[in-house]
Amino acid sequence: MPKSASISMSGSTGIPYRKSGPQGLIFDIRPYSIHDGPGVRTTVFFKGCPLTCRWCCNPESQAGKPELVWVRERCLGCDLCLAACPRDALHPAAAGVKVIDSQRCDRCGQCAERCPGEALNLIGRWRTVDEVLAEVARDALYFEASGGGLTLSGGEPLAQADFAAELLRRYKHEEKGAHTAVETCGFVEWPVLAQVAAHVDLFLYDIKHMDPAEHLRLTGRDNRLILDNARRLAHAGRALVIRVPLIAGFNDSREALEAIAGFIRSSLPGVHRIDLLPYHRLGEPKYRRLGKDYALKGEPALTSEQVAQARETLEAQGIEVAVGG
Ligand code: SF4
Ligand code: SF4
């Protein structure tokens, strides 16, 4: 891992992103996705996000740095990891527990590579554009046949804007104009967004709530920059699908949904569709593994009746709705 490859802070929003450099912090590359844009796609997940949504189902994506995680249930007790660590950062404790000394650990990943039980995992690795493209290129035949392509997701891809722009530019060039999409929370300064937008065919753009105070309460940021960027993209003729994570007690009321539909109708020319993403609890075990608290503990998943009601409310406002994207 290059020590210099840390995420820096940008401008007035304080959003972490790398200003330059050939590497991006990536925590997953998933082929054969059918929910992240048209056709069959490969989705590249960027690590690091300026928001901290309480319902986030990918908590491993939030921190803009690699993280080492130990999963007790998978540990075989072989202690190969202790010998593999060049920094003496792993220590045995009672009952087979492994303690990671976060001061000493530099997230090199050598222990995870040696671990036969996959109990140690390094989440997030610095990858070059060439490395990422080599993996994405394996699915080129599917892209061509299905009209699919490459989707950048996260975390927040725009938090590493230079890397994202270069990845998309090179992909377009090498795959002869194949389709590109970016999933984004939209919390980024406009010049940074515009730099990436030049290489994007479709934005999958999150709008979570129209009220800035409510947005701040549950995501850690207010929504003014996000809404302003959505307006600018739509007025620039960029293709957008709005994604709404549907969270009980936050944005599933008639008023909250009608406010989102009203914003789309009045301020986003050319935008007609919402992908409704109902809250689920599949991410909850990941919080335990990362040693983080799950803010929505005990909150049940949405019922099919609640989802149908939300859909009806939006459709009554003239919005086309897809559940699940
Ligand atoms: S190498 Fe993996 S399986 Fe073996 S003791 Fe370490 S964490 Fe457990
Ligand atoms: S990631 Fe590297 S430094 Fe950290 S515990 Fe594993 S081997 Fe040691």
Side-chain angles (χ1 to χ4, degrees), residues 263-303:
F263 173 71
I264 292 173
R265 285 203 322 267
S266 65
S267 304
L268 303 184
V271 179
H272 307 288
R273 183 178 132 193
I274 282 179
D275 285 354
L276 212 46
L277 310 174
Y279 165 73
H280 59 72
R281 298 175 61 183
L282 299 178
E284 193 170 347
K286 298 183 193 172
Y287 283 81
R288 273 199 303 278
R289 283 178 208 148
L290 289 164
K292 293 182 176 175
D293 288 333
Y294 186 54
L296 298 191
K297 200 169 187 172
E299 183 69 42
L302 285 150
T303 64

mmCIF file of all heavy atoms in Angstrom, residues 263-303:
data_model
loop_
_atom_site.group_PDB
_atom_site.id
_atom_site.type_symbol
_atom_site.label_atom_id
_atom_site.label_comp_id
_atom_site.label_asym_id
_atom_site.label_seq_id
_atom_site.Cartn_x
_atom_site.Cartn_y
_atom_site.Cartn_z
ATOM 1 N N PHE A 263 -40.296 18.382 -6.422
ATOM 2 C CA PHE A 263 -38.970 18.901 -6.811
ATOM 3 C C PHE A 263 -38.575 18.375 -8.195
ATOM 4 O O PHE A 263 -38.079 19.128 -9.041
ATOM 5 C CB PHE A 263 -37.932 18.486 -5.759
ATOM 6 C CG PHE A 263 -36.520 18.814 -6.153
ATOM 7 C CD1 PHE A 263 -36.070 20.123 -6.172
ATOM 8 C CD2 PHE A 263 -35.633 17.803 -6.508
ATOM 9 C CE1 PHE A 263 -34.755 20.426 -6.544
ATOM 10 C CE2 PHE A 263 -34.326 18.093 -6.882
ATOM 11 C CZ PHE A 263 -33.887 19.413 -6.898
ATOM 12 N N ILE A 264 -38.832 17.100 -8.413
ATOM 13 C CA ILE A 264 -38.473 16.521 -9.719
ATOM 14 C C ILE A 264 -39.267 17.214 -10.828
ATOM 15 O O ILE A 264 -38.709 17.617 -11.856
ATOM 16 C CB ILE A 264 -38.740 14.998 -9.712
ATOM 17 C CG1 ILE A 264 -37.754 14.296 -8.766
ATOM 18 C CG2 ILE A 264 -38.627 14.419 -11.125
ATOM 19 C CD1 ILE A 264 -38.031 12.823 -8.550
ATOM 20 N N ARG A 265 -40.566 17.355 -10.597
ATOM 21 C CA ARG A 265 -41.416 17.959 -11.645
ATOM 22 C C ARG A 265 -41.033 19.411 -11.910
ATOM 23 O O ARG A 265 -40.994 19.870 -13.042
ATOM 24 C CB ARG A 265 -42.889 17.864 -11.239
ATOM 25 C CG ARG A 265 -43.471 16.459 -11.380
ATOM 26 C CD ARG A 265 -45.004 16.542 -11.533
ATOM 27 N NE ARG A 265 -45.547 17.586 -10.682
ATOM 28 C CZ ARG A 265 -46.004 17.395 -9.442
ATOM 29 N NH1 ARG A 265 -46.002 16.189 -8.932
ATOM 30 N NH2 ARG A 265 -46.475 18.398 -8.739
ATOM 31 N N SER A 266 -40.743 20.147 -10.847
ATOM 32 C CA SER A 266 -40.532 21.592 -11.030
ATOM 33 C C SER A 266 -39.084 21.952 -11.389
ATOM 34 O O SER A 266 -38.835 22.975 -12.008
ATOM 35 C CB SER A 266 -40.918 22.336 -9.744
ATOM 36 O OG SER A 266 -40.037 21.960 -8.695
ATOM 37 N N SER A 267 -38.132 21.121 -10.989
ATOM 38 C CA SER A 267 -36.734 21.562 -11.089
ATOM 39 C C SER A 267 -35.813 20.657 -11.896
ATOM 40 O O SER A 267 -34.657 21.012 -12.121
ATOM 41 C CB SER A 267 -36.136 21.689 -9.676
ATOM 42 O OG SER A 267 -36.907 22.562 -8.903
ATOM 43 N N LEU A 268 -36.292 19.467 -12.275
ATOM 44 C CA LEU A 268 -35.407 18.542 -12.984
ATOM 45 C C LEU A 268 -35.990 18.191 -14.360
ATOM 46 O O LEU A 268 -36.599 17.128 -14.543
ATOM 47 C CB LEU A 268 -35.193 17.255 -12.165
ATOM 48 C CG LEU A 268 -34.638 17.411 -10.741
ATOM 49 C CD1 LEU A 268 -34.388 16.049 -10.098
ATOM 50 C CD2 LEU A 268 -33.371 18.260 -10.711
ATOM 51 N N PRO A 269 -35.828 19.091 -15.345
ATOM 52 C CA PRO A 269 -36.384 18.811 -16.667
ATOM 53 C C PRO A 269 -35.796 17.527 -17.256
ATOM 54 O O PRO A 269 -34.603 17.272 -17.128
ATOM 55 C CB PRO A 269 -35.957 20.040 -17.495
ATOM 56 C CG PRO A 269 -34.835 20.669 -16.728
ATOM 57 C CD PRO A 269 -35.077 20.347 -15.281
ATOM 58 N N GLY A 270 -36.675 16.728 -17.841
ATOM 59 C CA GLY A 270 -36.217 15.485 -18.484
ATOM 60 C C GLY A 270 -36.145 14.309 -17.535
ATOM 61 O O GLY A 270 -35.859 13.188 -17.967
ATOM 62 N N VAL A 271 -36.393 14.527 -16.233
ATOM 63 C CA VAL A 271 -36.315 13.426 -15.261
ATOM 64 C C VAL A 271 -37.733 12.965 -14.931
ATOM 65 O O VAL A 271 -38.595 13.770 -14.578
ATOM 66 C CB VAL A 271 -35.584 13.866 -13.967
ATOM 67 C CG1 VAL A 271 -35.537 12.718 -12.959
ATOM 68 C CG2 VAL A 271 -34.179 14.339 -14.307
ATOM 69 N N HIS A 272 -37.959 11.653 -15.090
ATOM 70 C CA HIS A 272 -39.323 11.140 -14.908
ATOM 71 C C HIS A 272 -39.384 9.948 -13.975
ATOM 72 O O HIS A 272 -40.455 9.509 -13.623
ATOM 73 C CB HIS A 272 -39.909 10.692 -16.264
ATOM 74 C CG HIS A 272 -39.819 11.744 -17.309
ATOM 75 N ND1 HIS A 272 -40.607 12.871 -17.288
ATOM 76 C CD2 HIS A 272 -39.011 11.872 -18.391
ATOM 77 C CE1 HIS A 272 -40.290 13.641 -18.307
ATOM 78 N NE2 HIS A 272 -39.323 13.059 -18.998
ATOM 79 N N ARG A 273 -38.217 9.402 -13.611
ATOM 80 C CA ARG A 273 -38.261 8.110 -12.916
ATOM 81 C C ARG A 273 -37.576 8.150 -11.558
ATOM 82 O O ARG A 273 -36.538 8.784 -11.389
ATOM 83 C CB ARG A 273 -37.581 7.049 -13.790
ATOM 84 C CG ARG A 273 -37.639 5.658 -13.181
ATOM 85 C CD ARG A 273 -37.011 4.636 -14.101
ATOM 86 N NE ARG A 273 -36.079 3.800 -13.376
ATOM 87 C CZ ARG A 273 -35.203 2.995 -13.934
ATOM 88 N NH1 ARG A 273 -35.117 2.927 -15.247
ATOM 89 N NH2 ARG A 273 -34.400 2.262 -13.199
ATOM 90 N N ILE A 274 -38.220 7.446 -10.615
ATOM 91 C CA ILE A 274 -37.615 7.213 -9.298
ATOM 92 C C ILE A 274 -37.409 5.718 -9.132
ATOM 93 O O ILE A 274 -38.299 4.923 -9.414
ATOM 94 C CB ILE A 274 -38.531 7.743 -8.168
ATOM 95 C CG1 ILE A 274 -38.419 9.267 -8.046
ATOM 96 C CG2 ILE A 274 -38.185 7.086 -6.830
ATOM 97 C CD1 ILE A 274 -39.299 9.878 -6.967
ATOM 98 N N ASP A 275 -36.219 5.350 -8.678
ATOM 99 C CA ASP A 275 -36.003 3.989 -8.185
ATOM 100 C C ASP A 275 -36.193 4.026 -6.676
ATOM 101 O O ASP A 275 -35.468 4.748 -5.973
ATOM 102 C CB ASP A 275 -34.574 3.518 -8.492
ATOM 103 C CG ASP A 275 -34.382 3.166 -9.960
ATOM 104 O OD1 ASP A 275 -35.377 3.173 -10.704
ATOM 105 O OD2 ASP A 275 -33.232 2.895 -10.353
ATOM 106 N N LEU A 276 -37.169 3.278 -6.193
ATOM 107 C CA LEU A 276 -37.476 3.247 -4.766
ATOM 108 C C LEU A 276 -36.709 2.086 -4.140
ATOM 109 O O LEU A 276 -36.843 0.934 -4.578
ATOM 110 C CB LEU A 276 -38.983 3.029 -4.637
ATOM 111 C CG LEU A 276 -39.747 3.624 -3.470
ATOM 112 C CD1 LEU A 276 -39.407 5.067 -3.200
ATOM 113 C CD2 LEU A 276 -41.244 3.463 -3.732
ATOM 114 N N LEU A 277 -35.898 2.378 -3.146
ATOM 115 C CA LEU A 277 -35.046 1.353 -2.534
ATOM 116 C C LEU A 277 -35.498 1.139 -1.092
ATOM 117 O O LEU A 277 -35.061 1.864 -0.180
ATOM 118 C CB LEU A 277 -33.577 1.788 -2.575
ATOM 119 C CG LEU A 277 -33.058 2.253 -3.945
ATOM 120 C CD1 LEU A 277 -31.644 2.790 -3.839
ATOM 121 C CD2 LEU A 277 -33.121 1.117 -4.958
ATOM 122 N N PRO A 278 -36.403 0.187 -0.848
ATOM 123 C CA PRO A 278 -36.941 0.001 0.512
ATOM 124 C C PRO A 278 -35.861 -0.419 1.497
ATOM 125 O O PRO A 278 -34.997 -1.242 1.174
ATOM 126 C CB PRO A 278 -37.984 -1.115 0.336
ATOM 127 C CG PRO A 278 -38.277 -1.163 -1.124
ATOM 128 C CD PRO A 278 -37.029 -0.731 -1.818
ATOM 129 N N TYR A 279 -35.937 0.152 2.696
ATOM 130 C CA TYR A 279 -34.992 -0.172 3.772
ATOM 131 C C TYR A 279 -35.014 -1.668 4.077
ATOM 132 O O TYR A 279 -36.064 -2.296 4.139
ATOM 133 C CB TYR A 279 -35.382 0.622 5.026
ATOM 134 C CG TYR A 279 -34.713 0.122 6.282
ATOM 135 C CD1 TYR A 279 -33.361 0.351 6.502
ATOM 136 C CD2 TYR A 279 -35.427 -0.590 7.245
ATOM 137 C CE1 TYR A 279 -32.740 -0.123 7.640
ATOM 138 C CE2 TYR A 279 -34.811 -1.059 8.395
ATOM 139 C CZ TYR A 279 -33.464 -0.823 8.584
ATOM 140 O OH TYR A 279 -32.850 -1.301 9.712
ATOM 141 N N HIS A 280 -33.806 -2.244 4.231
ATOM 142 C CA HIS A 280 -33.702 -3.634 4.692
ATOM 143 C C HIS A 280 -32.578 -3.710 5.719
ATOM 144 O O HIS A 280 -31.840 -2.736 5.925
ATOM 145 C CB HIS A 280 -33.435 -4.578 3.514
ATOM 146 C CG HIS A 280 -32.182 -4.257 2.769
ATOM 147 N ND1 HIS A 280 -30.929 -4.482 3.283
ATOM 148 C CD2 HIS A 280 -31.983 -3.668 1.557
ATOM 149 C CE1 HIS A 280 -30.017 -4.090 2.424
ATOM 150 N NE2 HIS A 280 -30.620 -3.574 1.370
ATOM 151 N N ARG A 281 -32.455 -4.859 6.371
ATOM 152 C CA ARG A 281 -31.493 -4.965 7.475
ATOM 153 C C ARG A 281 -30.300 -5.857 7.129
ATOM 154 O O ARG A 281 -29.596 -6.320 8.015
ATOM 155 C CB ARG A 281 -32.211 -5.503 8.712
ATOM 156 C CG ARG A 281 -33.305 -4.565 9.161
ATOM 157 C CD ARG A 281 -34.091 -5.141 10.309
ATOM 158 N NE ARG A 281 -33.253 -5.390 11.472
ATOM 159 C CZ ARG A 281 -33.694 -5.943 12.583
ATOM 160 N NH1 ARG A 281 -34.958 -6.290 12.679
ATOM 161 N NH2 ARG A 281 -32.887 -6.148 13.590
ATOM 162 N N LEU A 282 -30.075 -6.081 5.831
ATOM 163 C CA LEU A 282 -29.012 -7.014 5.443
ATOM 164 C C LEU A 282 -27.610 -6.526 5.836
ATOM 165 O O LEU A 282 -26.685 -7.312 5.985
ATOM 166 C CB LEU A 282 -29.061 -7.270 3.927
ATOM 167 C CG LEU A 282 -30.367 -7.898 3.417
ATOM 168 C CD1 LEU A 282 -30.342 -8.056 1.908
ATOM 169 C CD2 LEU A 282 -30.595 -9.254 4.094
ATOM 170 N N GLY A 283 -27.485 -5.211 6.037
ATOM 171 C CA GLY A 283 -26.168 -4.672 6.386
ATOM 172 C C GLY A 283 -25.851 -4.768 7.872
ATOM 173 O O GLY A 283 -24.711 -4.533 8.281
ATOM 174 N N GLU A 284 -26.843 -5.123 8.697
ATOM 175 C CA GLU A 284 -26.662 -5.048 10.148
ATOM 176 C C GLU A 284 -25.471 -5.873 10.670
ATOM 177 O O GLU A 284 -24.691 -5.374 11.494
ATOM 178 C CB GLU A 284 -27.958 -5.462 10.848
ATOM 179 C CG GLU A 284 -27.949 -5.120 12.318
ATOM 180 C CD GLU A 284 -29.306 -5.296 12.984
ATOM 181 O OE1 GLU A 284 -30.319 -5.455 12.255
ATOM 182 O OE2 GLU A 284 -29.353 -5.278 14.218
ATOM 183 N N PRO A 285 -25.274 -7.130 10.207
ATOM 184 C CA PRO A 285 -24.127 -7.900 10.730
ATOM 185 C C PRO A 285 -22.774 -7.248 10.433
ATOM 186 O O PRO A 285 -21.820 -7.426 11.183
ATOM 187 C CB PRO A 285 -24.243 -9.250 9.998
ATOM 188 C CG PRO A 285 -25.642 -9.315 9.503
ATOM 189 C CD PRO A 285 -26.077 -7.908 9.265
ATOM 190 N N LYS A 286 -22.713 -6.473 9.343
ATOM 191 C CA LYS A 286 -21.434 -5.835 9.003
ATOM 192 C C LYS A 286 -21.034 -4.813 10.065
ATOM 193 O O LYS A 286 -19.849 -4.593 10.301
ATOM 194 C CB LYS A 286 -21.536 -5.128 7.652
ATOM 195 C CG LYS A 286 -21.841 -6.038 6.479
ATOM 196 C CD LYS A 286 -21.831 -5.184 5.221
ATOM 197 C CE LYS A 286 -22.405 -5.885 4.026
ATOM 198 N NZ LYS A 286 -22.541 -4.967 2.884
ATOM 199 N N TYR A 287 -22.013 -4.161 10.679
ATOM 200 C CA TYR A 287 -21.703 -3.179 11.729
ATOM 201 C C TYR A 287 -21.004 -3.873 12.887
ATOM 202 O O TYR A 287 -20.029 -3.360 13.439
ATOM 203 C CB TYR A 287 -22.985 -2.490 12.211
ATOM 204 C CG TYR A 287 -23.487 -1.428 11.262
ATOM 205 C CD1 TYR A 287 -24.223 -1.759 10.135
ATOM 206 C CD2 TYR A 287 -23.226 -0.080 11.494
ATOM 207 C CE1 TYR A 287 -24.682 -0.797 9.260
ATOM 208 C CE2 TYR A 287 -23.683 0.905 10.633
ATOM 209 C CZ TYR A 287 -24.408 0.534 9.515
ATOM 210 O OH TYR A 287 -24.855 1.503 8.653
ATOM 211 N N ARG A 288 -21.510 -5.050 13.259
ATOM 212 C CA ARG A 288 -20.886 -5.802 14.361
ATOM 213 C C ARG A 288 -19.429 -6.105 14.043
ATOM 214 O O ARG A 288 -18.541 -5.910 14.862
ATOM 215 C CB ARG A 288 -21.651 -7.106 14.598
ATOM 216 C CG ARG A 288 -22.823 -6.963 15.554
ATOM 217 C CD ARG A 288 -23.249 -8.299 16.107
ATOM 218 N NE ARG A 288 -23.598 -9.280 15.088
ATOM 219 C CZ ARG A 288 -24.784 -9.327 14.484
ATOM 220 N NH1 ARG A 288 -25.714 -8.450 14.785
ATOM 221 N NH2 ARG A 288 -25.034 -10.243 13.567
ATOM 222 N N ARG A 289 -19.193 -6.607 12.809
ATOM 223 C CA ARG A 289 -17.823 -6.968 12.429
ATOM 224 C C ARG A 289 -16.888 -5.770 12.445
ATOM 225 O O ARG A 289 -15.707 -5.895 12.739
ATOM 226 C CB ARG A 289 -17.820 -7.570 11.023
ATOM 227 C CG ARG A 289 -18.315 -8.991 11.019
ATOM 228 C CD ARG A 289 -18.350 -9.542 9.618
ATOM 229 N NE ARG A 289 -19.373 -10.553 9.514
ATOM 230 C CZ ARG A 289 -20.082 -10.804 8.421
ATOM 231 N NH1 ARG A 289 -19.879 -10.117 7.326
ATOM 232 N NH2 ARG A 289 -20.991 -11.744 8.422
ATOM 233 N N LEU A 290 -17.425 -4.596 12.105
ATOM 234 C CA LEU A 290 -16.586 -3.400 12.070
ATOM 235 C C LEU A 290 -16.482 -2.732 13.437
ATOM 236 O O LEU A 290 -15.788 -1.719 13.590
ATOM 237 C CB LEU A 290 -17.160 -2.384 11.070
ATOM 238 C CG LEU A 290 -17.019 -2.754 9.590
ATOM 239 C CD1 LEU A 290 -17.951 -1.906 8.737
ATOM 240 C CD2 LEU A 290 -15.583 -2.567 9.119
ATOM 241 N N GLY A 291 -17.207 -3.278 14.418
ATOM 242 C CA GLY A 291 -17.198 -2.683 15.759
ATOM 243 C C GLY A 291 -17.937 -1.364 15.807
ATOM 244 O O GLY A 291 -17.636 -0.492 16.625
ATOM 245 N N LYS A 292 -18.936 -1.207 14.910
ATOM 246 C CA LYS A 292 -19.711 0.036 14.875
ATOM 247 C C LYS A 292 -21.121 -0.213 15.406
ATOM 248 O O LYS A 292 -21.639 -1.333 15.296
ATOM 249 C CB LYS A 292 -19.836 0.568 13.435
ATOM 250 C CG LYS A 292 -18.529 1.025 12.837
ATOM 251 C CD LYS A 292 -18.746 1.586 11.436
ATOM 252 C CE LYS A 292 -17.457 2.138 10.858
ATOM 253 N NZ LYS A 292 -17.605 2.583 9.472
ATOM 254 N N ASP A 293 -21.759 0.821 15.948
ATOM 255 C CA ASP A 293 -23.154 0.713 16.392
ATOM 256 C C ASP A 293 -24.084 0.817 15.203
ATOM 257 O O ASP A 293 -23.842 1.617 14.289
ATOM 258 C CB ASP A 293 -23.488 1.845 17.371
ATOM 259 C CG ASP A 293 -22.802 1.621 18.706
ATOM 260 O OD1 ASP A 293 -22.542 0.448 19.042
ATOM 261 O OD2 ASP A 293 -22.504 2.622 19.387
ATOM 262 N N TYR A 294 -25.142 0.024 15.237
ATOM 263 C CA TYR A 294 -26.151 0.112 14.177
ATOM 264 C C TYR A 294 -27.288 0.996 14.680
ATOM 265 O O TYR A 294 -28.027 0.619 15.589
ATOM 266 C CB TYR A 294 -26.668 -1.285 13.837
ATOM 267 C CG TYR A 294 -27.608 -1.312 12.661
ATOM 268 C CD1 TYR A 294 -27.241 -0.764 11.439
ATOM 269 C CD2 TYR A 294 -28.871 -1.885 12.763
ATOM 270 C CE1 TYR A 294 -28.092 -0.775 10.354
ATOM 271 C CE2 TYR A 294 -29.739 -1.916 11.683
ATOM 272 C CZ TYR A 294 -29.338 -1.354 10.476
ATOM 273 O OH TYR A 294 -30.196 -1.373 9.405
ATOM 274 N N ALA A 295 -27.413 2.177 14.081
ATOM 275 C CA ALA A 295 -28.339 3.175 14.607
ATOM 276 C C ALA A 295 -29.804 2.743 14.500
ATOM 277 O O ALA A 295 -30.640 3.180 15.289
ATOM 278 C CB ALA A 295 -28.133 4.500 13.879
ATOM 279 N N LEU A 296 -30.131 1.900 13.523
ATOM 280 C CA LEU A 296 -31.541 1.515 13.332
ATOM 281 C C LEU A 296 -31.827 0.130 13.910
ATOM 282 O O LEU A 296 -32.726 -0.570 13.433
ATOM 283 C CB LEU A 296 -31.913 1.558 11.843
ATOM 284 C CG LEU A 296 -31.798 2.925 11.165
ATOM 285 C CD1 LEU A 296 -32.431 2.901 9.788
ATOM 286 C CD2 LEU A 296 -32.418 4.038 11.990
ATOM 287 N N LYS A 297 -31.088 -0.248 14.922
ATOM 288 C CA LYS A 297 -31.259 -1.553 15.553
ATOM 289 C C LYS A 297 -32.728 -1.758 15.950
ATOM 290 O O LYS A 297 -33.340 -0.872 16.568
ATOM 291 C CB LYS A 297 -30.393 -1.614 16.813
ATOM 292 C CG LYS A 297 -30.097 -2.992 17.272
ATOM 293 C CD LYS A 297 -29.020 -2.948 18.337
ATOM 294 C CE LYS A 297 -28.604 -4.371 18.658
ATOM 295 N NZ LYS A 297 -27.453 -4.410 19.514
ATOM 296 N N GLY A 298 -33.270 -2.906 15.576
ATOM 297 C CA GLY A 298 -34.654 -3.206 15.949
ATOM 298 C C GLY A 298 -35.681 -2.639 14.985
ATOM 299 O O GLY A 298 -36.867 -2.968 15.060
ATOM 300 N N GLU A 299 -35.252 -1.781 14.070
ATOM 301 C CA GLU A 299 -36.191 -1.193 13.095
ATOM 302 C C GLU A 299 -36.566 -2.269 12.072
ATOM 303 O O GLU A 299 -35.678 -2.804 11.384
ATOM 304 C CB GLU A 299 -35.503 -0.018 12.389
ATOM 305 C CG GLU A 299 -36.352 0.753 11.413
ATOM 306 C CD GLU A 299 -37.456 1.556 12.076
ATOM 307 O OE1 GLU A 299 -37.180 2.165 13.122
ATOM 308 O OE2 GLU A 299 -38.577 1.531 11.551
ATOM 309 N N PRO A 300 -37.838 -2.627 11.948
ATOM 310 C CA PRO A 300 -38.183 -3.702 11.012
ATOM 311 C C PRO A 300 -38.063 -3.250 9.559
ATOM 312 O O PRO A 300 -38.158 -2.055 9.263
ATOM 313 C CB PRO A 300 -39.647 -4.007 11.358
ATOM 314 C CG PRO A 300 -40.160 -2.779 12.016
ATOM 315 C CD PRO A 300 -38.996 -2.094 12.673
ATOM 316 N N ALA A 301 -37.829 -4.228 8.680
ATOM 317 C CA ALA A 301 -37.837 -3.910 7.241
ATOM 318 C C ALA A 301 -39.242 -3.448 6.849
ATOM 319 O O ALA A 301 -40.219 -3.755 7.531
ATOM 320 C CB ALA A 301 -37.440 -5.145 6.448
ATOM 321 N N LEU A 302 -39.328 -2.718 5.750
ATOM 322 C CA LEU A 302 -40.646 -2.215 5.309
ATOM 323 C C LEU A 302 -41.519 -3.357 4.807
ATOM 324 O O LEU A 302 -41.021 -4.309 4.193
ATOM 325 C CB LEU A 302 -40.447 -1.198 4.187
ATOM 326 C CG LEU A 302 -39.935 0.153 4.677
ATOM 327 C CD1 LEU A 302 -39.089 0.818 3.628
ATOM 328 C CD2 LEU A 302 -41.102 1.040 5.061
ATOM 329 N N THR A 303 -42.800 -3.279 5.076
ATOM 330 C CA THR A 303 -43.727 -4.296 4.571
ATOM 331 C C THR A 303 -44.036 -4.002 3.106
ATOM 332 O O THR A 303 -43.860 -2.871 2.624
ATOM 333 C CB THR A 303 -45.044 -4.285 5.358
ATOM 334 O OG1 THR A 303 -45.680 -3.017 5.138
ATOM 335 C CG2 THR A 303 -44.801 -4.485 6.851
#
